[in-house]
Amino acid sequence: MADLVLEADGIDKSFAGVRALRGASLELRAGEVHALVGENGAGKSTLVKVITGAVIADAGDVRLRGRVLTDPSPRKARAAGIAAIYQQPALFPDLTVAENVVFGHEPGGPWRRVDWKARRQRAAALLAEVGARVDPDAEAGTLTMPQQQLVEVARALGAEARVLIMDEPTASLSEEDTQNLFRVIAALRARGVGIVYISHRLEELPLVADRVTVLRDGQTIGTRAMSGVSRSELIQLMVGRALETVFPKKAVAAGDVVLAVEGFGCSLSGVHDVSLTVRAGEILGLAGLVGAGRTELARALFGLTPADRGRIALRGRPVRIHSPAEAIAHGIAYLPEDRRRHGVILPMAIAPNVSLASLDRISGAGGAIDFGREKRTAAEYVQRLGIKTPATYLPAASLSGGNQQKVALARWLVTQPSLLVLDEPTQGIDVGAKSEIHALISDLADEGTAILMISSELPEVLGMSDRIAVMRAGTVVATIAREVATPEGVMAAAFGHTAGGSAAARAPA
């Protein structure tokens, strides 16, 4: 048996009266990939912060190679060989990719002479090692989410860590990039690096993990060999009950056409010749590979990058949408993919985050905000969506990722939209919270809301959609009815192979 490289033993931690960890424990062996799973709010992020020195535990010890880490801090953890890649990339957007990759682990003091050529060569080598096709001289802020994620992996590799924590590393990656990451993980394991692997994609755990530890309500429920536990058993350990279905789709009779676009396009974002409809009570899934143009279509519909060609009609009335304000006025709501950058304002309290898109509804005649009404509105949606927080005056940053996503969704539900555009609504959310979000989406459709749902998870698209529109190279190449949709058909259309099942499975747009 390999030596233990990391031990977290009996960790307790409370925030604002809420116990985030209750005697949580985790062991990691050298050369092991150890999965850490649990619902949102189970304590995974807090345990990681304790291990990396970002949060000081109220009780318990963290030991590295048998030695207790005293007076913990992020700097001491990094010096001891602990590195973390968090769910949302933490790059410096105005620095180049090369500067981000080598940040914190170049030799010399603060007044050293920078060898720019060596820095770029080092960054390029690390990027190549993780299979990232990224220009080292590009500004990090111009990268897509999957590219940022791979840059984070390259930075951790450069630090030569002995303990590497990966928090949802594949959440924004394509299948090809995911396979690249698995190759990197295998190479790190062979070098003796211990890896803590946090993921809500339970289906990928048997591909990478040796053991799995389950957290629930801040406690360690158990540790199992990955080869000896099934997905259903993991779910039951995570939620404390058998989970019958993750996709509680209701059969809803589609109503009138809410959204109709024809020849729709935006030259700035590469979207072109899109024609589709979404009816009241219908969930239209939007599938496709990374770069197919799904998010770009959503942004064009919402007026972030306004369309410059084609026609758009809402409830039969032709409209032009030049800004998000106009989209909101027409009853369109848009939940973006990157919740931390565009979904919630992390330093802001939960209540004003919820009310931000509907200030007219909570303001008096003179335009002054009625803070009592704002608080009541936030409390209503906290209860409705099951947001775990002791108070709505706490900052959104205090919430887990899944609860932040619920706050972002609540903001748009307050506007009572007729068309709700959801971009990766359950990305990085645990299986229990996914079921809750899916149930809420189904309830909204049942109430007559037209829903356009973008998702990179095929089971989600197939399980939740009434019809599936498949995008490729900036346009819709196939629309498939739920009754005949298959993973093979959807992927065939996404790759441009429409001569097979997908062409035969098309439904009216």
Side-chain angles (χ1 to χ4, degrees), residues 121-134:
Q121 289 175 341
R122 171 66 170 159
L126 290 169
L127 291 167
E129 193 170 349
V130 301
R133 295 179 292 274
V134 177

Side-chain angles (χ1 to χ4, degrees), residues 458 462 468 480-492 501-502 505:
L458 264 183
L462 294 166
I468 301 169
I480 309 173
R482 175 184 178 87
E483 295 77 14
V484 293
T486 64
E488 295 79 11
V490 173
M491 291 309 296
S502 64

Side-chain angles (χ1 to χ4, degrees), residues 14-19 390:
S14 297
F15 298 99
V18 177
R19 292 191 69 183

Side-chain angles (χ1 to χ4, degrees), residues 416-448:
Q416 299 178 341
S418 56
L419 173 66
L420 180 59
V421 182
L422 303 172
D423 193 350
E424 304 288 359
T426 64
Q427 180 174 282
I429 291 178
D430 65 78
V431 67
K434 275 188 179 183
S435 182
E436 295 172 7
I437 293 289
H438 290 152
L440 178 60
I441 293 172
S442 291
D443 289 343
L444 291 170
D446 193 29
E447 294 167 6

Side-chain angles (χ1 to χ4, degrees), residues 321-447:
I321 298 174
H322 302 96
S323 68
E326 291 184 8
I328 294 169
H330 285 300
I332 300 176
Y334 171 48
L335 184 67
E337 174 185 14
D338 189 344
R339 62 173 173 266
R340 293 176 68 89
R341 292 176 63 189
H342 306 132
V344 293
I345 301 175
L346 294 175
M348 184 182 285
I350 295 165
N353 259 293
V354 170
S355 65
L356 196 58
S358 53
L359 294 178
D360 57 327
R361 297 172 183 262
I362 63 166
S363 300
I369 295 176
D370 184 336
F371 292 106
R373 185 182 300 176
E374 179 182 72
K375 183 178 179 180
R376 290 191 297 272
T377 299
E380 175 189 344
Y381 281 89
V382 163
Q383 182 177 10
R384 179 180 175 186
L385 274 63
I387 299 171
K388 295 179 180 178
T389 179
T392 59
Y393 61 75
L394 293 175
S398 68
L399 302 177
S400 66
N403 285 304
Q404 288 176 12
Q405 186 78 324
K406 290 180 181 180
V407 168
L409 182 58
R411 175 188 300 164
W412 294 112
L413 296 185
V414 175
T415 68
Q416 299 178 341
S418 56
L419 173 66
L420 180 59
V421 182
L422 303 172
D423 193 350
E424 304 288 359
T426 64
Q427 180 174 282
I429 291 178
D430 65 78
V431 67
K434 275 188 179 183
S435 182
E436 295 172 7
I437 293 289
H438 290 152
L440 178 60
I441 293 172
S442 291
D443 289 343
L444 291 170
D446 193 29
E447 294 167 6

